[in-house]
Amino acid sequence: MPLALLALAVGAFGIGTTEFVMMGLLPNVADDLGISIPTAGHLVSAYALGVVIGAPLLAAVTARMPRRRVLIGLMVLFVAGNALSAAAPDYHWLMAARFLSGLPHGAFFGVGAVVATGLVAPERKARSVSLMFLGLTVANIVGVPVATAMGQQLGWRATFLAVSAIGLVAIAALAFLVPADHAHGESGGLRGEIRALRSVPVWLALGTTVAGFGALFSAYSYVTPMLTDAAGYAESSVTLLLALFGVGATAGNLLGGRLADHSLRGTLFGGLTALVVVLALFPLMMGAAWSAAIAVALLGMAAFTTGSPLQLMVMEKASAAPSLASSANQAAFNLANAGGAWIGGLALAAGFGVTSPAVAGAFLAVLGLAVAGLAYVVDLRSPAVGSGRLVAAHTVTDRETTHAG
């Protein structure tokens, strides 16, 4: 695997850290700015809104620019947003800075996935995407806990300065390790990129992302009360258990990338099925401390097994606009975050018990399987639109072999 993937992983590590660290810093930010914790929680929503808006928009308007230049520009925007967060004088400025920080998130992963797949042979595409996402999952094991501890000891502003420094390292790595390239193909600009997304298979793939990862966030958003109230853990142990989720997510991400290179759709169906089973068993596994720890790790593993397959499937279904489609998938991921948490909250508010968000997540995962199955049926009936992955890989390989000869 080329070293350029390391540069993409460094950028993903910084983005993953700044996305999730705010959850751990909410009390510190609230105390410093003189606001309530629920009000501070809107800073999380501001970042997510930036992702949803920025992902397709920035990918579309940069469609004709060289990808390396786009990636560097997105990281410059990322550094600026986090530096402004560190210097924000009040809540409203911090809200705007967090929105700015979220804008490059989805486009970076979207364009980065296109760059990653272009650096390797066709049979290693899914693995290359999983290695880029490795930075995101490792951020949950190392970056977020360290950044949270730094914020608690040195102040929350120090955390965002540190994340800005990670962004500068990523910019240097992208400049030196990612090869220079030409523009993003022959799209017709913003209008041409959007036109390429007018496809039922693309929207079915995006729908699978929303339902599948909505299932994850329905449970994960409320995993802390499950661990304390149902499994009996002390609040001080939750951080370590969440690191177990990161370990499971990292393992699932790497496993999904490797398996998807052999069977893209089979890996997707297998991951979603595993997610249904894990979420359905979650209430039972929360009955004991040891099984609850296993459940948290399995949840991360099952969910992130589907990450690379979904990213690659969206790109293949919108081959005329892979960067925009890939970025739109990141927007779908953040919609899943918000929607899953909302649905899990409804289950709690209805009085179904502290583990009920996991059961609601199981139903969402079943919905994801249904949408993925419908996409498969559409592919079978429209071979020209949803050509098999194996055929596509052979075509590229043959062309490359002929060129080399």
Side-chain angles (χ1 to χ4, degrees):
M1 289 291 177
L3 279 176
L5 293 176
L6 175 62
L8 295 173
V10 172
F13 178 82
I15 289 174
T17 300
T18 200
E19 179 181 17
F20 294 108
V21 75
M22 181 56 77
M23 287 78 157
L25 295 178
L26 285 182
N28 307 80
V29 174
D31 289 342
D32 186 55
L33 298 180
I35 57 177
S36 66
I37 289 181
T39 300
H42 295 158
L43 296 169
V44 177
S45 302
Y47 184 93
L49 182 62
V51 177
V52 173
I53 293 176
L57 181 61
L58 291 179
V61 299
T62 59
R64 293 185 174 181
M65 294 175 60
R67 294 188 181 100
R68 183 176 69 174
R69 187 183 303 171
V70 171
L71 288 171
I72 292 174
L74 291 171
M75 287 310 300
V76 169
L77 186 60
F78 170 82
V79 170
N82 282 280
L84 289 172
S85 295
D90 56 39
Y91 169 73
H92 298 290
W93 278 97
L94 182 56
M95 176 81 76
R98 286 297 289 169
F99 176 80
L100 181 65
S101 300
L103 285 175
H105 176 128
F108 181 88
F109 282 110
V111 177
V114 177
V115 171
T117 56
L119 292 169
V120 298
E123 65 273 12
R124 289 177 174 263
K125 284 185 176 182
R127 249 174 292 183
S128 71
V129 173
S130 71
L131 288 177
M132 178 187 67
F133 282 142
L134 187 63
L136 182 65
T137 56
V138 170
N140 283 282
I141 305 174
V142 180
V144 174
V146 171
T148 301
M150 177 183 292
Q152 292 169 346
Q153 296 298 319
L154 303 177
W156 61 270
R157 298 178 190 275
T159 295
F160 291 112
L161 285 176
V163 172
S164 298
I166 296 173
L168 292 175
V169 173
I171 289 172
L174 291 167
F176 284 103
L177 297 180
V178 175
D181 63 313
H182 299 293
H184 286 212
E186 299 177 359
S187 71
L190 177 58
R191 195 172 293 178
E193 290 275 311
I194 294 176
R195 190 181 305 117
L197 291 186
R198 295 177 183 173
S199 164
V200 171
V202 172
W203 286 101
L204 288 175
L206 293 174
T208 306
T209 296
V210 172
F213 277 96
L216 164 65
F217 287 112
S218 177
Y220 186 66
S221 300
Y222 305 97
V223 72
T224 296
M226 291 188 211
L227 290 170
T228 55
D229 297 351
Y233 278 102
E235 289 187 5
S236 57
S237 303
V238 171
T239 300
L240 180 60
L241 291 165
L242 294 183
L244 278 180
F245 173 85
V247 171
T250 300
N253 173 54
L254 293 174
L255 178 65
R258 181 169 291 273
L259 293 177
D261 279 326
H262 297 285
S263 175
L264 182 63
R265 201 176 295 274
T267 304
L268 178 59
F269 282 134
L272 288 172
T273 301
L275 188 58
V276 172
V277 173
V278 170
L279 288 170
L281 293 176
F282 225 70
L284 178 64
M285 297 182 76
M286 284 292 147
W290 66 270
S291 58
I294 295 174
V296 171
L298 289 177
L299 177 63
M301 187 172 185
F304 278 86
T305 297
T306 65
S308 298
L310 280 169
Q311 191 76 23
L312 204 56
M313 184 172 293
V314 170
M315 291 164 58
E316 291 186 349
K317 299 307 176 187
S319 57
S323 296
L324 178 56
S326 184
S327 300
N329 194 52
Q330 293 301 310
F333 179 88
N334 278 269
L335 287 175
N337 190 341
W342 177 68
I343 290 174
L346 289 179
L348 275 178
F352 293 130
V354 71
T355 59
S356 60
V359 179
F363 282 107
L364 282 174
V366 171
L367 177 61
L369 266 173
V371 177
L374 178 59
Y376 179 58
V377 172
V378 170
D379 276 1
L380 290 178
R381 294 183 176 182
S382 307
V385 176
S387 59
R389 176 165 167 70
L390 187 61
V391 174
H394 284 174
T395 303
V396 174
T397 305
D398 291 342
R399 185 167 61 248
E400 290 177 346
T401 303
T402 304
H403 184 268

